[in-house]
Amino acid sequence: LYNYHNCKKANKKTVFVVEGFKSVWRLHEWGYENVVAVMGSHLPDYQVKLLIALDAKIVVIGDNDESGKAFNQAVVNKLHYFCEVQKIDISVTECDPSDSVAELSQKEFEELIGGTK
């Protein structure tokens, strides 16, 4: 998990899970230290174990394409037995079909997550 070491140090009650490092960079610019990227659209079992070890609510925000939407659901399916999980669909914003969290504005992102930090 990209940025796992920083996320673990941040020790937050919520962890944002995204697909790629650019989304981590963007959220970090906005003050979010509690972000990890799986570096793709698949969440392997060893990453599931790392996320569970954070003992936090998981907020998954996949890209705005079909694999991103499938990623959101797969993360929920794998983690809901172990922790609270919320998926956020960025398609409700005015973004392109290939966009990720990195292409949103900070205001759009914060409206999507409803003040969760």
Short mmCIF file of all heavy atoms in Angstrom, two decimals, residues 7-36:
data_model
loop_
_atom_site.label_atom_id
_atom_site.label_comp_id
_atom_site.label_asym_id
_atom_site.label_seq_id
_atom_site.Cartn_x
_atom_site.Cartn_y
_atom_site.Cartn_z
N CYS A 7 0.34 6.93 6.73
CA CYS A 7 -1.03 6.75 7.19
C CYS A 7 -1.04 6.11 8.59
O CYS A 7 -1.79 6.53 9.47
CB CYS A 7 -1.79 5.87 6.20
SG CYS A 7 -3.53 5.71 6.57
N LYS A 8 -0.19 5.15 8.76
CA LYS A 8 -0.11 4.47 10.06
C LYS A 8 0.34 5.45 11.15
O LYS A 8 -0.21 5.46 12.25
CB LYS A 8 0.87 3.29 9.96
CG LYS A 8 0.86 2.39 11.14
CD LYS A 8 1.73 1.17 10.88
CE LYS A 8 1.74 0.28 12.09
NZ LYS A 8 2.55 -0.92 11.89
N LYS A 9 1.31 6.30 10.83
CA LYS A 9 1.79 7.30 11.79
C LYS A 9 0.72 8.33 12.13
O LYS A 9 0.65 8.83 13.24
CB LYS A 9 3.03 8.03 11.25
CG LYS A 9 4.31 7.28 11.41
CD LYS A 9 5.49 8.18 11.10
CE LYS A 9 6.01 7.88 9.72
NZ LYS A 9 7.17 8.68 9.35
N ALA A 10 -0.13 8.65 11.15
CA ALA A 10 -1.18 9.66 11.36
C ALA A 10 -2.20 9.18 12.38
O ALA A 10 -2.81 9.98 13.08
CB ALA A 10 -1.87 9.99 10.04
N ASN A 11 -2.39 7.86 12.48
CA ASN A 11 -3.26 7.26 13.49
C ASN A 11 -4.65 7.91 13.53
O ASN A 11 -5.11 8.34 14.58
CB ASN A 11 -2.58 7.30 14.86
CG ASN A 11 -3.24 6.34 15.84
OD1 ASN A 11 -3.81 5.33 15.44
ND2 ASN A 11 -3.16 6.66 17.11
N LYS A 12 -5.28 8.00 12.38
CA LYS A 12 -6.61 8.61 12.27
C LYS A 12 -7.70 7.55 12.39
O LYS A 12 -7.45 6.36 12.21
CB LYS A 12 -6.76 9.31 10.92
CG LYS A 12 -5.77 10.43 10.69
CD LYS A 12 -6.17 11.67 11.41
CE LYS A 12 -5.25 12.81 11.05
NZ LYS A 12 -5.67 14.06 11.58
N LYS A 13 -8.91 7.99 12.67
CA LYS A 13 -10.05 7.08 12.79
C LYS A 13 -10.64 6.72 11.43
O LYS A 13 -11.45 5.82 11.34
CB LYS A 13 -11.13 7.71 13.67
CG LYS A 13 -10.69 7.89 15.09
CD LYS A 13 -11.77 8.51 15.93
CE LYS A 13 -11.23 8.70 17.35
NZ LYS A 13 -12.21 9.34 18.21
N THR A 14 -10.21 7.42 10.39
CA THR A 14 -10.67 7.17 9.03
C THR A 14 -9.47 7.07 8.11
O THR A 14 -8.53 7.85 8.23
CB THR A 14 -11.59 8.31 8.54
OG1 THR A 14 -12.69 8.44 9.43
CG2 THR A 14 -12.10 8.05 7.14
N VAL A 15 -9.51 6.11 7.18
CA VAL A 15 -8.47 5.95 6.18
C VAL A 15 -9.13 5.97 4.80
O VAL A 15 -10.10 5.25 4.57
CB VAL A 15 -7.70 4.63 6.38
CG1 VAL A 15 -6.75 4.37 5.22
CG2 VAL A 15 -6.95 4.64 7.70
N PHE A 16 -8.60 6.80 3.92
CA PHE A 16 -9.09 6.86 2.54
C PHE A 16 -8.26 5.91 1.69
O PHE A 16 -7.03 5.95 1.74
CB PHE A 16 -8.99 8.29 2.00
CG PHE A 16 -9.84 9.27 2.73
CD1 PHE A 16 -9.31 10.07 3.73
CD2 PHE A 16 -11.20 9.36 2.45
CE1 PHE A 16 -10.11 10.96 4.43
CE2 PHE A 16 -12.01 10.25 3.15
CZ PHE A 16 -11.46 11.05 4.14
N VAL A 17 -8.94 5.07 0.92
CA VAL A 17 -8.27 4.12 0.04
C VAL A 17 -8.58 4.51 -1.40
O VAL A 17 -9.74 4.58 -1.79
CB VAL A 17 -8.73 2.68 0.32
CG1 VAL A 17 -8.07 1.69 -0.63
CG2 VAL A 17 -8.44 2.29 1.77
N VAL A 18 -7.53 4.78 -2.16
CA VAL A 18 -7.66 5.19 -3.55
C VAL A 18 -6.86 4.22 -4.42
O VAL A 18 -6.16 3.35 -3.91
CB VAL A 18 -7.18 6.64 -3.75
CG1 VAL A 18 -8.06 7.61 -2.97
CG2 VAL A 18 -5.73 6.82 -3.34
N GLU A 19 -6.96 4.39 -5.72
CA GLU A 19 -6.28 3.47 -6.63
C GLU A 19 -4.82 3.84 -6.88
O GLU A 19 -3.97 2.96 -6.95
CB GLU A 19 -7.03 3.40 -7.96
CG GLU A 19 -8.36 2.70 -7.87
CD GLU A 19 -9.02 2.56 -9.22
OE1 GLU A 19 -8.41 1.97 -10.13
OE2 GLU A 19 -10.15 3.06 -9.36
N GLY A 20 -4.51 5.13 -7.06
CA GLY A 20 -3.17 5.49 -7.49
C GLY A 20 -2.49 6.56 -6.67
O GLY A 20 -3.11 7.27 -5.88
N PHE A 21 -1.19 6.68 -6.89
CA PHE A 21 -0.37 7.60 -6.09
C PHE A 21 -0.71 9.06 -6.33
O PHE A 21 -0.55 9.88 -5.43
CB PHE A 21 1.13 7.35 -6.34
CG PHE A 21 1.58 7.61 -7.74
CD1 PHE A 21 2.02 8.86 -8.12
CD2 PHE A 21 1.58 6.58 -8.69
CE1 PHE A 21 2.45 9.10 -9.42
CE2 PHE A 21 2.00 6.82 -9.99
CZ PHE A 21 2.43 8.08 -10.35
N LYS A 22 -1.18 9.43 -7.53
CA LYS A 22 -1.53 10.83 -7.78
C LYS A 22 -2.66 11.29 -6.86
O LYS A 22 -2.67 12.43 -6.40
CB LYS A 22 -1.93 11.05 -9.24
CG LYS A 22 -0.78 11.05 -10.20
CD LYS A 22 -1.26 11.54 -11.54
CE LYS A 22 -0.73 10.67 -12.64
NZ LYS A 22 -1.25 11.06 -13.95
N SER A 23 -3.59 10.40 -6.60
CA SER A 23 -4.69 10.74 -5.68
C SER A 23 -4.16 10.93 -4.27
O SER A 23 -4.59 11.82 -3.54
CB SER A 23 -5.77 9.66 -5.72
OG SER A 23 -6.37 9.61 -6.99
N VAL A 24 -3.18 10.11 -3.87
CA VAL A 24 -2.56 10.28 -2.56
C VAL A 24 -1.88 11.64 -2.49
O VAL A 24 -2.03 12.38 -1.51
CB VAL A 24 -1.54 9.15 -2.25
CG1 VAL A 24 -0.75 9.45 -0.98
CG2 VAL A 24 -2.25 7.81 -2.14
N TRP A 25 -1.14 11.99 -3.52
CA TRP A 25 -0.44 13.28 -3.54
C TRP A 25 -1.42 14.44 -3.41
O TRP A 25 -1.20 15.38 -2.66
CB TRP A 25 0.35 13.45 -4.83
CG TRP A 25 1.53 12.53 -4.99
CD1 TRP A 25 2.06 11.67 -4.06
CD2 TRP A 25 2.30 12.38 -6.17
NE1 TRP A 25 3.12 11.00 -4.60
CE2 TRP A 25 3.30 11.41 -5.89
CE3 TRP A 25 2.25 12.94 -7.43
CZ2 TRP A 25 4.23 11.01 -6.83
CZ3 TRP A 25 3.19 12.54 -8.37
CH2 TRP A 25 4.17 11.60 -8.07
N ARG A 26 -2.51 14.38 -4.20
CA ARG A 26 -3.49 15.47 -4.18
C ARG A 26 -4.11 15.61 -2.79
O ARG A 26 -4.19 16.70 -2.25
CB ARG A 26 -4.58 15.22 -5.23
CG ARG A 26 -5.68 16.25 -5.22
CD ARG A 26 -5.26 17.59 -5.77
NE ARG A 26 -4.95 17.41 -7.17
CZ ARG A 26 -3.95 18.05 -7.80
NH1 ARG A 26 -3.22 18.92 -7.17
NH2 ARG A 26 -3.70 17.83 -9.06
N LEU A 27 -4.55 14.50 -2.21
CA LEU A 27 -5.18 14.58 -0.89
C LEU A 27 -4.18 15.04 0.16
O LEU A 27 -4.53 15.77 1.09
CB LEU A 27 -5.80 13.24 -0.52
CG LEU A 27 -6.98 12.81 -1.41
CD1 LEU A 27 -7.53 11.47 -0.95
CD2 LEU A 27 -8.06 13.85 -1.45
N HIS A 28 -2.94 14.64 0.02
CA HIS A 28 -1.91 15.09 0.95
C HIS A 28 -1.72 16.61 0.85
O HIS A 28 -1.55 17.29 1.87
CB HIS A 28 -0.59 14.37 0.69
CG HIS A 28 0.42 14.58 1.77
ND1 HIS A 28 1.35 15.60 1.73
CD2 HIS A 28 0.60 13.94 2.94
CE1 HIS A 28 2.08 15.56 2.82
NE2 HIS A 28 1.65 14.57 3.57
N GLU A 29 -1.78 17.15 -0.37
CA GLU A 29 -1.70 18.61 -0.56
C GLU A 29 -2.81 19.32 0.21
O GLU A 29 -2.64 20.45 0.66
CB GLU A 29 -1.84 18.98 -2.04
CG GLU A 29 -0.64 18.67 -2.87
CD GLU A 29 -0.87 18.97 -4.36
OE1 GLU A 29 -1.95 19.51 -4.72
OE2 GLU A 29 0.02 18.66 -5.15
N TRP A 30 -3.95 18.67 0.34
CA TRP A 30 -5.10 19.26 1.02
C TRP A 30 -5.11 18.97 2.52
O TRP A 30 -6.05 19.30 3.22
CB TRP A 30 -6.40 18.75 0.41
CG TRP A 30 -6.58 19.11 -1.05
CD1 TRP A 30 -6.02 20.15 -1.72
CD2 TRP A 30 -7.38 18.41 -1.98
NE1 TRP A 30 -6.42 20.15 -3.04
CE2 TRP A 30 -7.27 19.08 -3.23
CE3 TRP A 30 -8.20 17.27 -1.91
CZ2 TRP A 30 -7.93 18.66 -4.37
CZ3 TRP A 30 -8.85 16.86 -3.06
CH2 TRP A 30 -8.72 17.55 -4.27
N GLY A 31 -4.05 18.32 3.02
CA GLY A 31 -3.93 18.09 4.45
C GLY A 31 -4.37 16.72 4.94
O GLY A 31 -4.45 16.49 6.14
N TYR A 32 -4.63 15.81 4.03
CA TYR A 32 -5.05 14.45 4.42
C TYR A 32 -3.83 13.54 4.44
O TYR A 32 -3.26 13.21 3.41
CB TYR A 32 -6.10 13.92 3.44
CG TYR A 32 -7.39 14.68 3.46
CD1 TYR A 32 -7.56 15.82 2.69
CD2 TYR A 32 -8.44 14.27 4.28
CE1 TYR A 32 -8.75 16.54 2.71
CE2 TYR A 32 -9.63 14.99 4.31
CZ TYR A 32 -9.78 16.12 3.53
OH TYR A 32 -10.95 16.82 3.56
N GLU A 33 -3.43 13.12 5.62
CA GLU A 33 -2.30 12.20 5.77
C GLU A 33 -2.77 10.75 5.77
O GLU A 33 -1.97 9.84 5.61
CB GLU A 33 -1.58 12.47 7.09
CG GLU A 33 -1.02 13.87 7.20
CD GLU A 33 -0.51 14.17 8.59
OE1 GLU A 33 -1.10 13.67 9.57
OE2 GLU A 33 0.49 14.89 8.69
N ASN A 34 -4.04 10.56 5.97
CA ASN A 34 -4.62 9.23 6.15
C ASN A 34 -5.16 8.65 4.85
O ASN A 34 -6.31 8.29 4.73
CB ASN A 34 -5.73 9.30 7.20
CG ASN A 34 -6.72 10.44 6.95
OD1 ASN A 34 -6.36 11.48 6.41
ND2 ASN A 34 -7.96 10.24 7.36
N VAL A 35 -4.26 8.57 3.85
CA VAL A 35 -4.62 8.09 2.52
C VAL A 35 -3.62 7.03 2.08
O VAL A 35 -2.41 7.23 2.20
CB VAL A 35 -4.61 9.24 1.48
CG1 VAL A 35 -5.10 8.75 0.14
CG2 VAL A 35 -5.41 10.42 1.97
N VAL A 36 -4.14 5.93 1.53
CA VAL A 36 -3.29 4.91 0.94
C VAL A 36 -3.78 4.59 -0.46
O VAL A 36 -4.97 4.73 -0.75
CB VAL A 36 -3.24 3.60 1.78
CG1 VAL A 36 -2.61 3.83 3.13
CG2 VAL A 36 -4.62 2.98 1.92
#
